[in-house]
Amino acid sequence: MKGKKISIIVPVYNSEKFLDLLVEAVDIEKNKNNWDLELILIDDGSKDHSFKKIFELAKIFKYIKGIKLSRNFGHQIAVKTGLTYCSGDYIAIIDDDLQDPPNLLPSFFTYLDNGYDVAYGVRKKRKESFIKKLSYASFYKILKKISNTDIQLDSGDFCVMKKRVVENMLKLQEKNPFLRGIRAWIGFNQIGVEYERQARVAGESGYTLKKLFKIAKDGIFSFSNVPIRLITILGSLGLVFAFFFSCYILFQYFVNLIPVKGYTSLIIIISFFSSLILVCLGIIGEYIVRIYDEVRNRPFTVIDETINV
């Protein structure tokens, strides 16, 4: 790593109470490894005084760069903003809650020294609730099955990358980025490194169920054609069912010469296919909304204030 500049990108959300712990942990590694460092802290529309805390820390630690977004744009946009403003040869992405400990970074950077372009963390153990762990595991398995890109199971945004990887990631100007998917899509020489994800040092996660669901949608609809193709499969199955059911009704009417009573079955079929049509329209709508987001060509974020940038 001799002569390499290090950039560490940290999205910040309501982290006023423990930001100093994060910076202290990073500073320990900086001094121990003699890093030429820039620490980029992106305040993603925090409701507390996180940016004021960043301002205070930047007075003490001159390598800190602060970016305040005009509102909460979401974790992925915050990270992408940091990638846009970083200038390091080696770039790391970590969370602000010390779940991805800075003391792991030196060993991750070693993989870059040894010829890899990306070393990403693979969580072998999560210190989270059973429901969350089950949800994450299910999502990653589904995504891996249906994705057009080989996305590693249990890999998050925690990673280290060379500058050329970041430059190529930023060429993909998606308005709803799923960064770990983009990282996998661009290729290069990548390796997954297992680590044990720690519990939050303090506070509560900014990842609400709504935000997690949005990231899951971004991952599925950005990297898979299966949902839209599923409509064709369901339509074909419905057509086959309708054909055989029609034959059955005609048989009952002409051969057995009995009136067709089937009111109940008719209501069930109409309800089923009406619901199926709405689901299919919803899937099509997701793709149309994403097309609309892209063609509007709005900036992916708005910056309110910066420090040392």
Side-chain angles (χ1 to χ4, degrees), residues 2-167:
K2 188 176 181 180
K4 302 290 186 183
K5 184 175 182 180
I6 305 298
S7 296
I8 300 178
I9 295 167
V10 186
V12 173
Y13 184 70
N14 293 344
S15 309
E16 175 191 7
K17 295 180 180 178
F18 51 87
L19 261 182
D20 51 348
L21 297 176
L22 168 72
V23 174
E24 286 171 11
V26 170
D27 194 61
I28 289 172
E29 297 306 315
K30 174 190 181 298
N31 295 327
K32 187 189 299 183
N33 298 281
N34 195 28
W35 286 342
D36 176 14
L37 176 67
E38 64 173 5
L39 176 61
I40 304 176
L41 304 176
I42 306 99
D43 180 13
D44 186 25
S46 296
K47 297 178 181 177
D48 61 3
H49 299 289
S50 290
F51 194 71
K52 182 179 178 182
K53 188 70 175 180
I54 294 172
F55 183 79
E56 293 171 357
L57 290 167
K59 290 181 179 179
I60 303 169
F61 303 94
K62 301 302 181 182
Y63 53 80
I64 289 179
K65 295 182 177 181
I67 300 173
K68 181 182 180 182
L69 305 187
S70 61
R71 64 172 176 83
N72 179 238
F73 284 87
H75 180 274
Q76 300 290 282
I77 291 295
V79 173
K80 185 176 179 180
T81 302
L83 292 176
T84 304
Y85 281 88
C86 71
S87 59
D89 301 295
Y90 288 179
I91 297 96
I93 300 171
I94 63 175
D95 282 340
D96 61 349
D97 53 14
L98 293 174
Q99 285 189 289
D100 308 321
N103 60 17
L104 291 177
L105 292 177
S107 61
F108 273 63
F109 285 135
T110 301
Y111 288 98
L112 303 190
D113 289 336
N114 292 333
Y116 288 98
D117 296 296
V118 178
Y120 55 85
V122 178
R123 300 152 181 167
K124 63 180 179 181
K125 189 176 180 181
R126 290 176 177 269
K127 295 184 179 179
E128 293 165 332
S129 67
F130 172 76
I131 298 297
K132 265 197 170 183
K133 287 191 282 189
L134 179 63
S135 300
Y136 279 123
S138 301
F139 165 67
Y140 280 114
K141 286 178 181 177
I142 292 171
L143 182 60
K144 189 173 180 64
K145 288 286 186 183
I146 68 175
S147 176
N148 305 320
T149 303
D150 185 17
I151 301 175
Q152 172 69 41
L153 290 174
D154 291 319
S155 64
D157 293 320
F158 175 48
C159 67
V160 297
M161 303 174 285
K162 289 183 177 176
K163 187 174 184 177
R164 66 171 182 158
V165 175
V166 172
E167 289 172 344

Side-chain angles (χ1 to χ4, degrees), residues 245-308:
F245 187 75
S246 299
C247 291
Y248 168 75
I249 296 299
L250 290 172
F251 177 82
Q252 290 287 80
Y253 185 79
F254 289 110
V255 177
N256 293 335
L257 300 177
I258 57 174
V260 179
K261 295 182 180 179
Y263 174 78
T264 303
S265 59
L266 183 63
I267 292 299
I268 292 172
I269 291 171
I270 291 174
S271 300
F272 173 77
F273 279 102
S274 297
S275 301
L276 185 61
I277 289 169
L278 290 176
V279 170
C280 293
L281 287 174
I283 293 173
I284 295 171
E286 280 290 341
Y287 284 102
I288 292 174
V289 165
R290 288 165 194 277
I291 294 170
Y292 182 54
D293 281 343
E294 298 299 327
V295 299
R296 281 187 299 186
N297 201 29
R298 291 179 178 175
F300 62 87
T301 191
V302 177
I303 294 174
D304 180 17
E305 190 176 348
T306 63
I307 301 169
N308 297 333

